[in-house]
Amino acid sequence: MPPRRSTEPVETARSFPEAEPLRYAGQYRLEACLGNGGMGVVHRAASDSGLRLAVKVIHAEHASDPEFRARFRQEVTAARRVSGAFTASVVDADPEAERPWMATLFIDGPTLAEQVKRNGPLGSEQLRRLGAGLAEALRDIHRAGVVHRDLKPGNVLLAEDGPKVIDFGISRPADSELRTETGKLIGTPPFMAPEQFQRPREVGPAADVFAMGAVLVHAATGRGPFDSDSPYIVAYQVVHNEPDLAGVPAGLAPLLRRCLAKDPAERPTPGEVMVALRAFSPTAAHDTQAYIPAQREPDAAGDAGDAGDAGGAESGGPEPAARRRRRSRWAAAAAAAFALGAAGAVALATLHGDGGGDASGGGAAGRPSAGQPAPGKGLRPWSVPLGGDGEGNRTPVCSGSGDALYCASPGVKAARLSAADGRVLWSLKANGGAAAQTDEDGAPVRMGGLLLVAAPGGGRLEALAPESGAVRWQLETASYATVEYAGDDTVLLVTADGLVRALDAATGRERWARRHGGVGTQWTAAPAGGGPLVAATPAVDGASTLITAVDPVNGDTLWQRRAPGALSPAGLADSTLFLLAADKDGFTDAVVRLDVPSEGRDIERIPLTAPLDQAQAAVVDGTVYLSGAGGSLLAVRGEQQLWRRELGVTHLSRPAGDGNGVYVSAGDGRLLAVDAGSGVLLGQTRPRMADGPHTFPSVLPAPVTTGPDRIAGTAPDGSVFAQGTGDPGGW
C-alpha cells in the first residue's frame, strides 16, 4: 500500500473517477487523493483522534472479482504482519466491505524515485544509510514471514525517521510494465531477480536482496543496473547480463555486485549487508539529510543469526561459498523469461514466522524431546532432529506406514522412526552428505513390502528392507525423465517421449513396457491398488486432456476419454478419479470427477467459488482438500464446495487428513489443524525455523498421518515431530 505524501490539491473526478463520489471507508472520512494505481485509489484521511492516515480503497470494478478480493486479503495480512519501524503500520482494514479498504499511518515524505528524479543521485553517506535501513527493513520483513517481491524506488518512502518499505500487493492489472501472455502481472522488470522470470515458484527472500541491490544502484546513479526502454530487453539483461555499476561508489560496488548475483544462494543476507555497510567508508560523510537517519543498532539476538557469515561482505572481497538451491529441471530460454504463467503473479509469499526450533538438526542420532501427553490421548508430543548440518535446505521428507515413519533429509539417505515416540530405529548416511531428496515426492515410499528410496543426487532407485535398511534391489534411473509410484506395488519409469516401464516394487522386475501419454503426462492410482493406472496427458494448447486407463498387470489400454480443459490428477478413490482443472492463467478453478469403471463417460465439474493459485490437493474419504498460495484451504465434496478458509499463510504444503481433521504445514515449520467439516482452525504448533541465514524452505512436505490419533510434521530446522490429534487447541 502506498501511503504517499500529498503534494497536489484534491484531484478531480476526471483524473480519479472513483475519488469524488466516495466519501468514507468504514468510519474514516476521505479527504484527498494521494495516488491512483491499477488495484485501487489511495486517499488521505484522519481518525476521530486526529491520527493522519493513508487509506487504500479497491476499485469498484475489482471489488466484485473474488480473485482480487483474495489478493487484497493477502496484502492486508502481509501488511499487518510486517507493521513496524520500517513499514507503514496498519491501523484498520475491511477486506470484506463492498469496496475493500485498508488504512495505514500516513508517512510524510517523498518516494526514493521522486527524490532521485528531483535532486539527482544520493551521496555516499546517504547511500550507506539508505542501504542499512533497507537491509534492516528486509531482515524484519523476512522474520515476519513475508517476501515482498516488488521492492523498487517507488515503494521506498524517505521519512524523517528512515526509509519505509510499502506496498505489499504487486498484482495490479494496469500499472506494471510487464505482463505475461495471459495478462498476469509479475512485477517491475528492472528490480526483479532472475528466478522471478525463470523459476517463479522458487522465489524466496533472496529475490528481495537482489531488488535492494538494484534499488541502491538506482539511488547511486539515477538508473538501474539493467537499463532499456523495453521491459522485455531489461528482463533478458536481468537473466543473462552482468549489472552495469558505473557511477556506484567504489567501496559499495563489490557488495552490490553480490546482491545482484544470478544465483540466489550467492547473495548476502540482509544481516550480512548490514555488517558490510558498517565497514563501508563513505567519501562524503558530511553529505547527509534529515530524512535518512543514522543506522540504529539491531538487537544482539537479531545480529547473531543474520550476520554470522559475513566475512566476505565486510571486506568487499571474495564471495563466500555458495549454498546451492535446487535447480528446475527445465532451462529457461530467453523468450520464456518474458512469458510466465500465473505462478509469478502471486502478490507475496509467506516465508516464516518468528521463533526458532528446539532441534539442532545435527543428524539422525539425536534424541527426541517430549512434552506432556495431549489431553485425552496417550501420545506424548515428540520432536527429533534429523536435518543435515546447515548447507541449503534442511527440511526432512517423510512417509508413514503402520507404526513407523520413513524419512530422509540432507545427509540422511533414509531412516526409520517410531511413530509413537520418535526413536530413530535405524539410519543410513547419504554418501557425501548430499540431500537424498529434492521435493515432497522424493520421500521414501513403502510399497511392495519394501522401502523405495531415490539415491542421493538422483540416477538410482534403491529398494530397502523396512526392518533394517538393507538393500534388496537397485536400478539405475538416470535415463528416465521421471519415476512414478502408482498404487501399492507398481513403479513406473517414464522417458521424455512417453515410453513407460512398469516394475514390480517387490522384486524390481519389469512387468511390461508400453508407450502411454507424452510430454506432461501425470499418473495416479488408488493407494490400495486393485484398480487401473490412470494417465492424464494435456493437449499442447491446454484445451483438453486425454485420460487413459491402463491395466497395471500387462500395460494394456483399458479405455481412453478426452475431457475438456487442462486437467491434472488429484487422486483416485472409490473408483472415482478426481482432477484439478486449470484456467487459461494456470489457476485452479474447478474439481473434475470422473467415474473410472464407466470408461470415463460420466464427467462432473464442480466449480470453485474463486480460482486457487498454485493448488495442491489430497483426496480423503471422497472429499478433495485443496491448498493454495495466500493461505487458502478449501474442501470439495459431492457436487459443491463445502467451505473455504484463508489461513494467512502463503506457503502451505499439500493437505493431509484423517476424516476428522485436515492438516497443513507452513513454511516456518508450523503444523496447522483445521476441522474437516467446517474449515475452522482448531490449533497450530509453534514455528520451527532454521538457525542459519538461509531459512526459506525449498521443500514443504505434507504432514503424515501415522494412526487414528497422531499426526507428524517436518520443519526447516531439520526436525521431525508429532502431535496428538485429540486437542489441537493445546498444541
Side-chain angles (χ1 to χ4, degrees), residues 348-713:
L348 49 95
T350 297
L351 165 66
H352 58 76
D354 294 328
D358 61 355
S360 66
R367 293 183 179 181
S369 61
Q372 295 300 315
K377 292 293 180 181
L379 176 70
R380 185 183 296 271
W382 54 261
S383 176
V384 60
L386 195 70
D389 51 10
E391 286 296 322
N393 174 67
R394 297 168 59 187
T395 307
V397 288
C398 299
S399 65
S401 178
D403 60 355
L405 283 170
Y406 298 98
C407 303
S409 70
V412 179
K413 179 169 68 174
R416 176 172 175 163
L417 279 66
S418 166
D421 56 18
R423 285 179 299 116
V424 179
L425 304 177
W426 57 258
S427 175
L428 301 178
K429 184 178 180 180
N431 293 333
Q437 272 68 43
T438 56
D439 55 27
E440 176 190 343
D441 294 333
V445 174
R446 181 76 183 266
M447 63 188 313
L450 298 177
L451 188 67
L452 302 187
V453 178
R460 190 169 74 256
L461 182 67
E462 296 180 347
L464 311 178
E467 299 79 14
S468 63
V471 177
R472 295 303 185 216
W473 60 262
Q474 55 186 320
L475 181 71
E476 296 298 319
T477 58
S479 60
Y480 296 96
T482 60
V483 177
E484 306 269 358
Y485 304 130
D488 60 351
D489 65 351
T490 304
V491 180
L492 302 178
L493 308 179
V494 185
T495 66
D497 61 356
L499 176 63
V500 181
R501 288 183 62 199
L503 308 182
D504 185 325
T507 63
R509 296 191 183 95
E510 181 178 300
R511 288 177 176 170
W512 49 264
R514 298 286 185 91
R515 290 194 179 276
H516 289 295
V519 176
T521 297
Q522 298 182 58
W523 291 81
T524 191
L533 309 178
V534 179
T537 306
V540 175
D541 60 3
S544 64
T545 300
L546 181 64
I547 309 298
T548 304
V550 176
D551 189 317
V553 176
N554 55 28
D556 289 347
T557 298
L558 301 176
W559 54 262
Q560 288 186 318
R561 170 69 186 271
R562 185 165 293 279
L567 308 178
S568 59
L572 182 62
D574 297 329
S575 301
T576 300
L577 175 65
F578 297 91
L579 306 106
L580 306 185
D583 63 16
K584 63 179 182 179
D585 296 330
F587 286 69
T588 297
D589 62 358
V591 171
V592 173
R593 294 163 47 101
L594 188 149
D595 190 4
V596 173
S598 65
E599 300 187 358
R601 284 190 292 269
D602 297 331
I603 297 179
E604 182 180 7
R605 182 184 176 92
I606 302 101
L608 305 184
T609 55
L612 194 62
D613 189 15
Q614 303 177 51
Q616 301 183 84
V619 181
V620 181
D621 296 334
T623 300
V624 183
Y625 298 101
L626 299 95
S627 63
S632 298
L633 185 66
L634 58 90
V636 173
R637 185 176 182 86
E639 301 178 354
Q640 62 180 339
Q641 177 178 310
L642 298 180
W643 49 261
R644 179 173 181 142
R645 294 292 179 266
E646 303 298 330
L647 299 178
V649 181
T650 299
H651 199 196
L652 280 180
S653 73
R654 187 184 309 275
D658 60 6
N660 295 318
V662 182
Y663 310 95
V664 287
S665 293
D668 59 4
R670 279 179 294 158
L671 177 65
L672 296 87
V674 169
D675 184 87
S678 64
V680 172
L681 181 65
L682 300 175
Q684 57 185 306
T685 64
R686 63 173 177 80
R688 287 175 165 86
M689 285 307 304
D691 54 6
H694 300 286
T695 58
F696 186 81
S698 59
V699 298
L700 187 52
V704 179
T705 54
T706 60
D709 60 352
R710 58 184 175 237
I711 184 79

Side-chain angles (χ1 to χ4, degrees), residues 90 312 611:
V90 177

Side-chain angles (χ1 to χ4, degrees), residues 324-359:
R324 302 290 178 182
R325 294 183 59 197
R326 176 173 60 90
R327 303 282 188 179
S328 282
R329 289 185 178 178
W330 51 272
F338 314 135
L340 298 180
V346 184
L348 49 95
T350 297
L351 165 66
H352 58 76
D354 294 328
D358 61 355

